[in-house]
Amino acid sequence: MFFQIYGETAGWQLLGWLMVFTGLVVMNEIARRSKAGGIACFLVLPAALTVYFIAIYVGAARGAEWALNNDTYVHMNSWFHYAKLYAATAGCIGFMILKYHWGKLGKSVNFKVFPFVIVAINILIAVASDFESAIRAGSLAGGWWLSSEGVWLYGGWWNVLNGLAGLLNIFCMTGWWGIYSSKDQKDMLWPDMIWVYVLAYDIWNFQYTYLNLPTHSWYCGLALLLAPTFAAALWNKGGWIQNRANTLALWCMFAQVFPVFQDASRFTTVTSVYAEGGIAAAMGSSMPTAADPTAQGLISVVSIAVNVFVFAYILKRAKEQKKNPWKNEIFTDTKDYIEAMDRA
């Protein structure tokens, strides 16, 4: 089993997953359907939280007990969490500029490459974290190391393999300038980003969370990845990348303010690497006595294999069509692309 879901808390863990998945789908709809919703979610809320975060760290620097004991300060102090939150939020703002044609940027052909750039930056942040884990483990064969948030991580060759898959995933994005606004202006569309890319991305990103956020992956790995994919598959064709950015930014805000939901509640769920030790092993004061990296290794192999296959498939299509797959759209003959363009 990939996650430790059993015993008296299993029902709560499953309920927690359902609440996160449903909440993200609903919040994405609120954010995408109106300017007011998007502005509230990605301009007003992040601004307020920034003031909150600064206050916490100023207070902690002065030795204030309320700040030093704040859940955000204790559980979410890694550089990664802040980098991811603000990078995702920047993506959401940029996507709104494109779909609403705000200002010169929104009308600029050159700015259409922004979605590729911001997604690539987000991927690179995760890749850097993967490589950091492999280095701090001290051995590619596997080793425990304690994160700044007090979570024991088991790094190794699986991090390197998944980091390479992430780098390859950047070049699996095609048609970088093929960005459109939907007729109703609810969505920024990237029609060439069909299910082929989404599959490669979801597997890679799930593995990233599985390896580096083992106490959060049940939510930020499964629920958070499936929510935008679910919406894009059923009613928002071509809008997957916007769904992904919206849900990621919203989740990061929630997790940054309420980290105990994942780390120390009845909803807490950890991966199988702790060999059934549960959250006590993950956040214990001493290094875990056992490790089971079987799933970690297996998923990393699948991650790199899928991304290699998708990249090769893209090159094959590009060669057949005599196109540069990054400057041009290469999936124009597919059902997903046609349905997305019908909305543009």
Side-chain angles (χ1 to χ4, degrees):
M1 183 178 288
F2 292 130
F3 295 95
Q4 296 184 28
I5 302 174
Y6 46 77
E8 61 184 16
T9 61
W12 291 107
Q13 292 168 312
L14 295 171
L15 175 62
W17 189 95
L18 184 61
M19 288 192 302
V20 170
F21 175 80
T22 304
L24 288 172
V25 171
V26 171
M27 287 304 299
N28 179 53
E29 292 304 303
I30 292 173
R32 64 173 275 265
R33 287 178 178 272
S34 71
K35 290 181 183 179
I39 290 171
C41 289
F42 306 123
L43 288 172
V44 177
L45 184 56
L49 288 179
T50 298
V51 174
Y52 172 68
F53 297 147
I54 292 173
I56 291 172
Y57 278 85
V58 170
R62 293 179 177 178
E65 287 296 320
W66 69 266
L68 292 171
N69 296 322
N70 183 279
D71 289 335
T72 296
Y73 186 78
V74 173
H75 293 271
M76 301 293 281
N77 56 53
S78 166
W79 67 269
F80 170 81
H81 295 298
Y82 286 99
K84 202 69 175 176
L85 188 159
Y86 287 104
T89 302
C92 296
I93 296 169
F95 295 173
M96 286 196 297
I97 290 173
L98 284 164
K99 77 174 180 177
Y100 294 128
H101 306 295
W102 282 342
K104 291 183 179 179
L105 279 180
K107 299 177 179 67
S108 170
V109 173
N110 291 331
F111 192 64
K112 286 187 175 184
V113 78
F114 172 80
F116 163 76
V117 172
I118 198 66
V119 175
I121 289 172
N122 273 274
I123 292 173
L124 288 172
I125 291 170
V127 168
S129 183
D130 246 332
F131 289 154
E132 176 190 29
S133 187
I135 292 169
R136 296 194 64 177
S139 170
L140 289 180
W144 291 107
W145 66 279
L146 187 63
S147 75
S148 62
E149 294 160 351
V151 178
W152 289 99
L153 305 178
Y154 198 67
W157 61 265
W158 33 83
N159 291 96
V160 176
L161 209 58
N162 198 57
L164 294 174
L167 292 176
L168 192 58
N169 189 258
I170 292 173
F171 296 97
C172 290
M173 288 185 278
T174 60
W176 296 352
W177 279 268
I179 305 299
Y180 308 86
S181 177
S182 62
K183 295 185 181 89
D184 56 12
Q185 287 200 327
K186 289 180 181 177
D187 301 297
M188 184 205 76
L189 305 175
W190 191 340
D192 216 47
M193 189 173 271
I194 66 169
W195 69 268
V196 174
Y197 177 76
V198 176
L199 175 66
Y201 178 95
D202 279 359
I203 293 174
W204 160 76
N205 193 261
F206 170 74
Q207 176 62 342
Y208 168 75
T209 68
Y210 196 82
L211 295 175
N212 301 281
L213 302 168
T215 60
H216 299 176
S217 185
W218 176 238
Y219 299 108
C220 71
L222 278 182
L224 178 55
L225 284 167
L226 287 176
T229 303
F230 175 78
L234 295 184
W235 64 81
N236 190 4
K237 289 290 185 181
W240 175 81
I241 194 60
Q242 176 191 260
N243 297 343
R244 168 59 179 165
N246 288 356
T247 53
L248 176 59
L250 290 163
W251 170 255
C252 287
M253 293 178 216
F254 171 82
Q256 202 74 1
V257 178
F258 303 105
V260 173
F261 173 82
Q262 300 174 95
D263 288 342
S265 76
R266 62 184 64 184
F267 301 109
T268 299
T269 308
V270 299
T271 68
S272 62
V273 72
Y274 299 106
E276 299 187 2
I279 194 66
M283 303 186 73
S285 57
S286 58
M287 183 185 298
T289 57
D292 182 6
T294 304
Q296 294 192 157
L298 175 63
I299 303 170
S300 278
V301 170
V302 173
S303 175
I304 189 70
V306 169
N307 275 278
V308 166
F309 176 81
V310 168
F311 185 66
Y313 179 59
I314 287 168
L315 294 182
K316 179 177 180 293
R317 286 186 66 93
K319 183 178 179 180
E320 291 172 349
Q321 298 175 27
K322 297 180 180 180
K323 291 180 179 178
N324 181 317
W326 303 293
K327 290 183 178 180
N328 307 111
E329 297 160 284
I330 64 167
F331 291 106
T332 56
D333 58 338
T334 64
K335 182 175 180 289
D336 280 358
Y337 181 95
I338 294 170
E339 290 182 356
M341 286 303 295
D342 285 342
R343 304 180 59 214

